[in-house]
Amino acid sequence: VSRQFQVTVPCSTSNLGAGFDCVGLALNRYITATMEPGGDQLHVVRKGTLVELPDAGDDIVARLLRSRNIYGKLTIDSTIPIGKGLGSSAAAAVAGLALAALVNDKNFDVDVALDAATALEGHPDNAAPSIVGGLVAVITDGMRHRSIRLKLSDKIGFVFAAPHSSVSTKAARNALPSQVLHSDATRTIARSVALIEGLADGDPELLRIGFSDDLHVPYRIGMIPGGGHALSAALEAGAWAATISGSGSGLIAACERGSEEHIVAAMASAFESATAHPALALVMQPDFEGVRTEKSA
Ligand code: HSE
């Protein structure tokens, strides 16, 4: 048996309402990339949700390994829904960087990896939680990105529901205005404080305020078929707060632990009656580990 190197990286939900472009939470769906080095070509096998992607030649993990002259057999398997707002491409970028470091026996430095993943993929608010796990804020300081681990109460349950269709991050970013009102910006700063405190304490009222947003949600919710209905359904079913996960098409809701199944079923059923297509319904657990690596001789 040849040497084998493996990395596993969690997905993430980002924004959480008022934490637009700077708050992310790692969740328990994963991409796993396994490499058996050898030869002078890279053979790529994609499994799980990655099978639905069109071009294996353009795979982000494969591109990264080729750019580092790493060849052999690469198997990438993912349970992360694609194009649904769970940071699947940021997780893939992190997996590629971690795998390259592991194969080359290099140290995987968290700060260097965050800058590199952002350069590759563009979304540090997804890359940071995928790297370190847990709830993270990202601050862009000049050219560098810094991640700050934040406290997360274990009183909060998280559910994710998505319609059949996906939203491209590019389209969701193009939907944003180039300027916002000063009053909207200042309200968002206060809400983001409520968000951080609400997540730390599991405070339903602060979470409701913190999950509300004027900077991106109003411009994007219309791109999600049944999105408005599913948000209302979450709150009617007893969720403390609900908003778009990343740039969609999925929604993330925070609720009392134990009520997850009921809430996610209500959200999925709202999507299904609005779209006449099956919806995705996932009860999620935070992932506090981030990247894990394994090698066998
Ligand atoms: N914060 C980014 C956005 C995440 O909402 O556009 C994209 O995955």
Side-chain angles (χ1 to χ4, degrees), residues 113 150 189 256:
L150 301 170
I189 296 169
E256 186 172 10

Side-chain angles (χ1 to χ4, degrees), residues 14-15 20-22 87 123 125-126 169 173 176 216 220 246-247:
S14 62
N15 302 332
F20 181 54
D21 271 357
C22 63
H123 300 291
D125 51 335
N126 288 115
T169 301
R173 294 205 78 87
L176 303 178
H216 60 112
R220 290 171 163 180
S247 58

Side-chain angles (χ1 to χ4, degrees), residues 236-263:
E236 276 159 27
W240 292 337
T243 188
I244 302 174
S245 179
S247 58
S249 60
L251 305 180
I252 186 91
C255 61
E256 186 172 10
R257 273 192 182 270
S259 61
E260 291 96 336
E261 294 285 356
H262 169 67
I263 289 165

Side-chain angles (χ1 to χ4, degrees), residues 1-6 35-37 102 294-297:
V1 184
S2 53
R3 279 179 315 146
Q4 192 167 294
F5 300 85
Q6 187 172 80
M35 183 76 204
E36 286 172 40
L102 189 67
E294 215 176 288
K295 48 182 162 180
S296 62

Side-chain angles (χ1 to χ4, degrees), residues 64-110:
L64 196 108
L65 294 182
R66 278 198 195 94
S67 76
R68 309 273 165 104
N69 299 317
I70 298 171
Y71 303 111
K73 183 177 176 205
L74 171 67
T75 307
I76 321 163
D77 196 355
S78 179
T79 57
I80 308 173
I82 309 278
K84 301 276 201 272
L86 286 175
S88 60
S89 54
V94 171
L97 291 162
L99 189 56
L102 189 67
V103 171
N104 285 336
D105 202 19
K106 292 251 168 64
N107 180 27
F108 183 70
D109 180 275
V110 165

Side-chain angles (χ1 to χ4, degrees), residues 9 62 69 93 97 108 143 147 168 175-176 180 193 223 231 238 253 261 267 274 277 284 288 293 296:
V9 178
N69 299 317
L97 291 162
F108 183 70
M143 296 296 288
S147 60
S168 93
L176 303 178
V180 297
V193 176
M223 303 173 76
L231 278 183
E261 294 285 356
M267 294 167 79
H277 281 290
M284 305 295 270
F288 291 103
T293 61
S296 62

